[in-house]
Amino acid sequence: MAQLYSQNKQLLYNVDDLPQSLMSNPGASIVFEKHIGIPLFSGISIGAGSSGISTYDIFQEGGDINNRIRQAIFDLDNRDTFVVNEQLEVFSFGWKNEFNKVYYSAGMYQEADVVVYFPKDLAVLAYEGNADYIDIPFKFSDLSVAAEVISVYHFGMNKAISKKLRLGARAKLYMSIANINSTDNQGNFITRTTPDGPNFYRHEINGADVTANTSGLRSLIDDDAGAGSLLGRAILSNNLGIGFDIGGTYTFNEYWTATASLIDIGAIFHTKDLRNYRLSGTHTIDGIELEFPALLDGGSTTEYWEEFQDEFEDQVPYEDELENSYTTWRPVKFNASINRGFGTNLNGDCDCTNSGIDRYANNVGIQWYSIKRPEHIQGAVTAYFDKSWGRFLRTKISYTYDTFSSRNIGLLFSTKINKFNVYLATDNILDYANLAKAQSASVQFGFQLVFDPK
Amino acid sequence: MKPTLRIISLFICIILCCISYACVDDVDFDQADEIRITPRVDADLIFFTIEAVDFVEEELPDANFTVRDTTRLEFLNDEFVRENLKEIEFLFQIDNTFEQSLINRSVFLNNAGVPQYTIEFEVAPSTDGTPTQTSFTDTLDDEELAAIRSSIQLANELILMSNEAPIDGELSLQSKAIYSLEFGDF
């Protein structure tokens, strides 16, 4: 689960003076009343990770690299993933309406997200062959890849419903720039021993249904569409989607608060610039049966091979000219936290700016994050200590635990002079000494204007 | 310096510190040249069952009987296989109820029908009409592999060595090959 950090922005979550906290919880308890992002620089997020393996595991100096690759193939399983995620806020802004006390926020960001599951069975088949795996099926379902480049227009609202409850929601319009999706594949290949059969083995392809859907790529490949086309799609794409975020913050008492949010509940409908590839069917092969026709004309051959090929293509057709529409669901994320504030109350004895909520200089808490990936849900838990050093500087240190890393320490620095805010968050800092050994790393930073209440 | 510029300068310093602190050590990416993928593919080849009526009498002095058939095996001539094939092990298994011994001859031919490589072995006769099993394995070395790489057809011939016993029975042949491949130079 180390790969989660590429989307898990645990350091920005619950940081109530950063507008980015609204992107992971539209119902976040925020303390500013207006924000304007510096276009293209207000929110930059880059992360990559692989579960179960690091660059060092393969390319370490000394020894035999082939032994290490073989070991890695057997150590990884079909739930291990390789993930790359990048987000760039193109523009963002928000303001508080003094009449209805609703904080409105809007903007546009571009996102690239790639998740590739380790295709265990197919990797073993390619690396080892089938000779040592007789009677063991190789599952096509291990092939699972989802990659997309999108841009997102969004508009959100955030309001304190009562002194205890603040709710928020955000509507999203997705523009798909390019998409590759090959999930939900089915079937298997197996070589069976057949003691009562006509030959040593029976090679079976059972219930194969392997599909790769693409949108936005055909025109790039066939029509040689250029960067202008991509930019056009980022602004207005033919492949549209809709979605929404919801979230809230509940205040139990002057010290304790809890939050929860669901992000990216939505789908993208791919209807244009499509190309699908599909291999499907069931077939068994015992080898080529010779029939010894009574009369053979000199050196001519019986057309066994041609029949063998034709039968295979009939039974397991490969189609590469399909243009079927398809739908991809956005990876839904769930965030939750419980927080305890202590120390100096930044709002003073009389809180007149934030619905009467106490706001402390020090906060400790636990956060939960999970994301719905194509094959399963992944999760991570984070403990943090968040401290405001006056109005000038805010820091947050986090420890995130997952199956593959028990030493993920993250740091956030956020500072503001006058209205100008800069933040920098990065995790896995202990692995910075040698990134080759890191299984994941992510960084988020940005520049923006944030206006405090007068 | 304005405070805003001061903040930006501070953060640029932090980022530069992170970048200078972050490094990639103890790895050698040149090892990518040493990566070899070496799958072993175990696959059926040909099979058949023949009876006495399938044999054709040859016009030979010793009155042997033969059956012969040929198939194309185009994957042998495939560029992918030719470039990466490192070893082949053929395995034949024959169950024979004929009371005559036989010769099985598998001849790999090029596209012009010229023999490139021959596997030949004797099939044991049955003594009492019950199946006698004969197995034969042939592992090809580098020189022999060159012959296989230029082949695209397989002719299989069975020669029945006649004797006093009546020609009656059944013979089943099973065959497979284990192809050892090696890929590199990624």
Side-chain angles (χ1 to χ4, degrees), chain A residues 183-442:
Chain A
T183 56
D184 301 323
N185 294 311
Q186 296 171 23
N188 65 53
F189 166 74
I190 185 169
T191 300
R192 290 189 195 279
T193 49
T194 50
D196 299 323
N199 209 343
F200 285 103
Y201 302 130
R202 173 169 295 141
H203 307 285
E204 298 178 2
I205 295 174
N206 298 307
D209 189 357
V210 179
T211 302
N213 297 314
T214 74
S215 79
L217 295 179
R218 185 166 59 87
S219 58
L220 292 179
I221 296 167
D222 295 350
D223 306 336
D224 204 21
S229 169
L230 294 177
L231 184 59
R233 280 184 227 165
I235 297 168
L236 183 62
S237 171
N238 285 320
N239 295 311
L240 295 170
I242 54 170
F244 63 93
D245 306 340
I246 53 170
T249 301
Y250 187 79
T251 303
F252 293 102
N253 54 43
E254 65 264 45
Y255 299 115
W256 289 93
T257 55
T259 68
S261 67
L262 280 168
I263 306 298
D264 277 329
I265 305 164
I268 298 176
F269 310 101
H270 304 270
T271 58
K272 300 285 194 311
D273 198 6
L274 304 166
R275 178 61 52 85
N276 323 98
Y277 304 87
R278 185 167 187 239
L279 185 75
S280 60
T282 294
H283 191 43
T284 61
I285 300 165
D286 299 300
I288 294 175
E289 182 177 12
L290 301 185
E291 294 171 344
F292 297 99
L295 293 172
L296 274 178
D297 180 18
S300 68
T301 60
T302 314
E303 294 188 338
Y304 299 118
W305 182 258
E306 291 76 3
E307 291 169 7
F308 176 84
Q309 282 187 311
D310 291 346
E311 194 176 342
F312 185 88
E313 288 168 7
D314 285 346
Q315 298 300 315
V316 190
Y318 173 65
E319 301 159 279
D320 61 357
E321 296 291 334
L322 301 171
E323 296 183 14
N324 298 329
S325 299
Y326 65 99
T327 299
T328 53
W329 292 94
R330 296 284 296 141
V332 179
K333 297 106 184 165
F334 172 71
N335 294 287
S337 74
I338 187 156
N339 178 85
R340 189 189 192 283
F342 62 97
T344 307
N345 188 342
L346 298 175
N347 286 336
D349 293 334
C350 173
D351 173 27
C352 307
T353 59
N354 194 28
S355 305
I357 302 296
D358 293 300
R359 182 171 177 250
Y360 291 97
N362 305 308
N363 290 277
V364 293
I366 301 287
Q367 295 170 193
W368 172 258
Y369 170 82
S370 57
I371 180 169
K372 170 74 177 71
R373 285 302 192 183
E375 305 301 326
H376 63 293
I377 294 172
Q378 302 166 327
V381 63
T382 297
Y384 64 88
F385 173 57
D386 175 359
K387 183 172 180 63
S388 295
W389 307 79
R391 296 275 177 189
F392 173 71
L393 180 66
R394 182 165 184 172
T395 58
K396 182 175 177 180
I397 184 167
S398 68
Y399 167 76
T400 301
Y401 177 81
D402 59 73
T403 306
F404 303 102
S405 174
S406 57
R407 40 177 272 151
N408 179 11
I409 303 292
L411 278 176
L412 163 77
F413 294 94
S414 174
T415 186
K416 193 167 73 170
I417 288 188
N418 199 355
K419 299 173 183 57
F420 189 79
N421 165 253
V422 184
Y423 67 91
L424 170 67
T426 184
D427 67 3
N428 264 303
I429 56 174
L430 298 181
D431 286 330
Y432 271 55
N434 189 358
L435 282 174
K437 292 183 178 177
Q439 290 179 213
S440 73
S442 74

Side-chain angles (χ1 to χ4, degrees), chain A residues 59-61 66 68 128 130-131 199 201 203 286 288 290 292 301-302 304-305 415 417 432-435, chain B residues 3 7 11 22-23 25-28 31 34 36 40 42 44-47 69-70 72 153 175-176:
Chain A
F59 287 101
Q60 62 186 269
E61 293 173 335
N66 291 299
R68 292 194 294 271
E128 295 270 292
N130 69 334
N199 209 343
Y201 302 130
H203 307 285
D286 299 300
I288 294 175
L290 301 185
F292 297 99
T301 60
T302 314
Y304 299 118
W305 182 258
T415 186
I417 288 188
Y432 271 55
N434 189 358
L435 282 174
Chain B
I7 296 173
F11 270 79
C23 58
D25 281 337
D26 309 324
V27 290
D28 175 13
Q31 293 176 91
E34 299 166 18
R36 296 286 180 272
R40 293 171 66 244
D42 195 348
D44 285 329
L45 196 58
I46 59 170
F47 67 97
D69 202 355
T70 305
R72 292 182 74 81
Q153 302 178 61
S175 68
K176 66 170 190 167

Side-chain angles (χ1 to χ4, degrees), chain B residues 60-77:
Chain B
L60 294 171
D62 53 0
N64 290 336
F65 295 83
T66 63
V67 289
R68 189 174 197 272
D69 202 355
T70 305
T71 180
R72 292 182 74 81
L73 294 177
E74 298 199 1
F75 68 92
L76 288 176
N77 201 242

